[in-house]
Amino acid sequence: MEVETLQKLCAHLNEFSLSRAIIDFDRKRFVAWNDRFLARTGYSENEIKSIQPDKIVIESDIRFTNPNEGDNPSAEFVPVAVRTATDNAAEPGHLVRPKHKLGYLM
């Protein structure tokens, strides 16, 4: 899926007041996000473009998978904390981490 398409998808989720971002794990960067994500985390668009996700997204050791997929799940559902730009605070969230390079942060 094209990055531009992912960016449009995230932008549309603003209408539902949903804070969302998409991470490219291979390139170690955010490739899409919406205004709600920026407002919730306190980062500017320029900061999100340049920060490596692993610097602000803290993944839990706990992983959830779809029990119907058995031993070879297509994705993991991971509780996360996202460090905010201000204070020493973090926002709770979840990451859908599939086997391919993109992750969906909510």
Side-chain angles (χ1 to χ4, degrees):
M1 188 175 289
E2 297 290 325
V3 170
E4 185 176 300
T5 302
L6 295 171
Q7 291 169 340
K8 287 179 183 178
L9 170 66
C10 283
H12 285 295
L13 292 173
N14 279 322
E15 297 173 26
F16 300 100
S17 299
L18 299 173
S19 169
R20 301 292 187 258
I22 297 174
I23 299 170
D24 183 327
F25 291 108
D26 288 347
R27 297 189 303 185
K28 299 180 181 175
R29 68 182 193 102
F30 288 94
V31 293
W33 53 86
N34 62 9
D35 292 338
R36 297 280 183 179
F37 180 78
L38 296 177
R40 184 173 172 197
T41 61
Y43 293 103
S44 70
E45 191 162 338
N46 285 336
E47 289 172 315
I48 285 296
K49 286 179 182 177
S50 64
I51 198 165
Q52 290 185 348
D54 64 352
K55 301 296 183 200
I56 65 168
V57 178
I58 304 156
E59 294 185 29
S60 168
D61 292 336
I62 299 170
R63 302 285 198 259
F64 299 97
T65 59
N66 182 340
N68 296 330
E69 293 185 340
D71 293 335
N72 193 21
S74 59
E76 297 176 320
F77 188 72
V78 184
V80 298
V82 180
R83 289 189 175 113
T84 61
T86 56
D87 302 321
N88 280 335
E91 289 287 328
H94 290 90
L95 175 65
V96 177
R97 191 168 188 155
K99 289 185 176 181
H100 59 78
K101 66 181 182 175
L102 298 178
Y104 182 59
L105 183 60
M106 49 189 167

